């Protein structure tokens, strides 16, 4: 089958969860013998390959806000016409709108006879979401039970929705027991996050303990979108100022996708400080896959994802409790190694081909 995904902000190595999830799912579909395509807005990226189709009728600023996109689509006719042309030219059997707006689900510009699916990666029950559902996509897909419950609470009927988890794009072998013990004893704590206030990185830095006794390395990355002008620069600058007074803390630049798992594999643990619910938790999944325990807030999909591969705390306990819980886990040799060993098992079902088969079952209505 020829399967297209529409995600206007997609770029190779874009530091954002939906972009990574689409790339991972596309890889799984290739492994299963299908032909995935991704349709995105301009401008072109030097890393684009033949499976990434750029729209000539739509170019986004970087970073873009949803308001920017809707203004550019005030007259959607040229974009709709081009999307239909691409889907027809490439003989697409199934097109998946990756979001109600950023994935053009509200416009649904599919040629007659092409199956459609709508992905819901983030909670939204606005006009665009209702417009997307009114087009009656063959399948509505979200990332897990948390999102099903979250969207049902908005009044939407989610009884026929499907859950398809995000896949792990790359695989790195976990550290062996001896190396893991060395990491427990003196390895760095590593944090990988998008430069967004809700990721809680600034709060973690503001609550940094007087004595941690090991380095903390933080990777902050700016994506191609933001919620208000200057949001990402403000977040990075705030974190830089907080880290300046902490000799154990180092802020690092963004990493390419394939380097994230090796980076996390050499960490004693990783912290996920998100103060709003993670609808999946890609960084946590990548850490677990390499046997690195995760400590974070008991919010969204994270508790189900992490399981016994780390420790979850209540948001009301605050960031100081995250640091305390981390210290307790690192000090408990038996509990630490148990969590490290359970991590890869916890995310074993997230292999790209397995996730692709789940996706095909949801969109085709039968096991492929």
């Amino acid at each position: 089958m020829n399967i297209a995904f529409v995600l206007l902000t997609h770029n190779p190595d874009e530091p954002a969860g939906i972009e990574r999830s689409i790339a991972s799912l596309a890889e799984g579909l290739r492994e299963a013998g299908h032909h995935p395509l991704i349709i995105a807005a301009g401008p072109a990226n030097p890393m684009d390959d033949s499976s990434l189709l750029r729209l000539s009728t739509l170019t986004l600023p970087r970073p873009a806000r949803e308001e920017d996109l809707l203004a550019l689509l005030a007259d959607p006719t040229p974009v709709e016409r081009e999307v239909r042309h691409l889907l027809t030219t490439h003989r697409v059997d199934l097109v998946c709108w990756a979001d109600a707006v950023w994935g053009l689900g509200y416009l649904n510009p599919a040629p007659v006879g092409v199956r459609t699916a709508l992905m819901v990666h983030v909670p939204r029950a606005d006009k665009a979401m209702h417009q997307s559902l009114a087009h009656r996509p063959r399948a509505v897909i979200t990332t897990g039970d948390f999102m099903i419950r979250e969207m049902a609470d908005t009044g939407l009927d989610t009884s026929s929705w499907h859950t398809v988890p995000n896949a792990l794009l790359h695989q790195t072998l976990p550290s062996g027991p001896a190396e893991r013990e060395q990491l427990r004893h003196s390895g760095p704590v590593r944090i990988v996050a998008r430069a967004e206030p809700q990721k809680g990185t600034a709060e973690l830095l503001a609550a940094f303990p007087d004595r941690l006794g090991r380095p903390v390395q933080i990777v902050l990355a700016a994506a191609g979108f933001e919620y208000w002008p200057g949001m990402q620069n403000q977040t990075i600058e705030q974190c830089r100022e907080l880290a300046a007074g902490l000799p154990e803390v180092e802020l690092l630049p963004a990493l390419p996708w394939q380097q994230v798992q090796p980076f996390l594999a050499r960490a004693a643990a990783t912290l996920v400080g998100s103060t709003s619910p993670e609808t999946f938790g890609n960084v946590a999944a990548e850490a677990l896959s390499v046997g690195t325990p995760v400590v974070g807030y008991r919010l969204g999909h994270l508790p189900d994802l992490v399981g016994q591969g780390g420790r979850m705390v209540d948001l009301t306990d605050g960031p100081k409790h995250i640091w305390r819980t981390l210290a307790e886990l690192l000090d408990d040799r038996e509990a630490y190694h148990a969590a490290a060993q359970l991590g890869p098992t916890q995310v074993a079902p997230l292999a790209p081909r397995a996730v692709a088969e789940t996706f095909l079952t949801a969109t085709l209505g039968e096991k492929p």
Side-chain angles (χ1 to χ4, degrees):
M1 289 179 64
N2 297 322
I3 301 170
F5 298 90
V6 179
L7 180 57
L8 300 177
T9 54
H10 191 88
N11 278 296
D13 282 334
E14 189 70 50
I18 302 178
E19 282 78 356
R20 248 189 311 186
S21 74
I22 297 300
S24 305
L25 179 52
E27 181 59 31
L29 290 167
R30 287 189 195 96
E31 292 178 14
H34 299 282
H35 304 284
L37 298 166
I38 300 173
I39 297 175
N45 186 306
M47 295 175 64
D48 291 354
D49 61 26
S50 59
S51 67
L52 180 52
L53 308 178
R54 293 288 180 183
L55 295 172
S56 63
T57 54
L58 182 64
T59 297
L60 292 177
R62 185 178 179 93
R65 296 174 299 143
E66 191 161 297
E67 293 89 337
D68 300 325
L69 174 57
L70 292 173
L72 290 168
L73 291 174
D75 176 8
T77 304
V79 170
E80 291 178 312
R81 185 182 298 119
E82 186 177 12
V83 170
R84 290 193 188 96
H85 174 72
L86 288 171
L87 296 176
T88 301
T89 301
H90 289 272
R91 298 182 179 180
V92 168
D93 303 289
L94 167 68
V95 58
C96 185
W97 319 117
D99 179 68
V101 175
W102 298 97
L104 299 182
Y106 80 107
L107 295 175
N108 192 58
V112 174
V114 173
R115 296 181 179 125
T116 64
L118 174 68
M119 284 182 161
V120 185
H121 281 269
V122 295
R124 63 183 310 154
D126 55 2
K127 180 181 178 181
M129 185 67 187
H130 286 281
Q131 289 173 324
S132 301
L133 294 172
H135 289 296
R136 301 179 65 82
R138 180 181 179 118
V140 181
I141 297 165
T142 191
T143 52
D145 291 342
F146 165 74
M147 278 294 292
I148 293 283
R149 296 192 299 269
E150 189 81 356
M151 296 306 294
D153 287 345
T154 69
L156 294 176
D157 180 6
T158 61
S159 59
S160 62
W161 290 22
H162 303 269
T163 60
V164 177
N166 292 351
L168 291 163
L169 181 55
H170 301 102
Q171 185 57 58
T172 298
L173 291 176
S175 303
E179 185 179 11
R180 181 52 60 189
E181 172 60 14
Q182 182 272 325
L183 290 169
R184 180 188 75 88
H185 186 263
S186 58
V189 174
R190 287 177 167 171
I191 299 170
V192 178
R194 193 166 72 248
E196 175 184 317
Q198 293 91 326
K199 296 299 180 182
T201 309
E203 286 87 343
L204 287 172
L205 288 171
F208 197 80
D210 292 335
R211 181 176 174 80
L212 186 65
R214 65 178 71 221
V216 174
Q217 296 170 328
I218 302 175
V219 171
L220 285 179
F225 60 90
E226 60 186 3
Y227 308 137
W228 64 83
M231 179 196 81
Q232 296 180 113
N233 288 338
Q234 292 165 13
T235 300
I236 292 171
E237 185 57 33
Q238 182 184 17
C239 290
R240 186 177 288 122
E241 291 175 358
L242 289 165
L246 303 170
E248 292 176 309
V249 176
E250 181 182 12
L251 261 59
L252 302 174
L255 292 171
W257 283 341
Q258 70 270 21
Q259 292 182 18
V260 173
Q261 279 168 303
F263 178 75
L264 294 174
R266 294 290 300 150
T270 191
L271 304 185
V272 178
S274 299
T275 55
S276 62
E278 290 282 355
T279 59
F280 189 76
N282 288 304
V283 170
E286 288 170 317
L288 294 166
S289 74
V290 293
T292 298
V294 176
V295 180
Y297 289 120
R298 193 177 291 110
L299 291 173
H301 183 63
L302 211 57
D304 290 337
L305 177 65
V306 173
Q308 297 302 307
R311 296 289 183 271
M312 298 285 101
V313 307
D314 290 335
L315 178 63
T316 53
D317 291 334
K320 287 185 179 297
H321 194 55
I322 284 186
W323 290 111
R324 286 196 296 270
T325 301
L326 168 69
E328 291 166 1
L329 180 61
L330 294 171
D331 286 343
D332 188 331
R333 186 179 188 277
E334 183 176 348
Y336 177 87
H337 283 283
Q341 290 170 9
L342 284 169
T345 302
Q346 192 72 15
V347 296
L350 304 183
R353 180 156 184 174
V355 172
E357 289 176 353
T358 301
F359 169 82
L360 290 168
T361 300
T363 53
L364 299 178
E366 57 185 16
K367 189 174 179 60

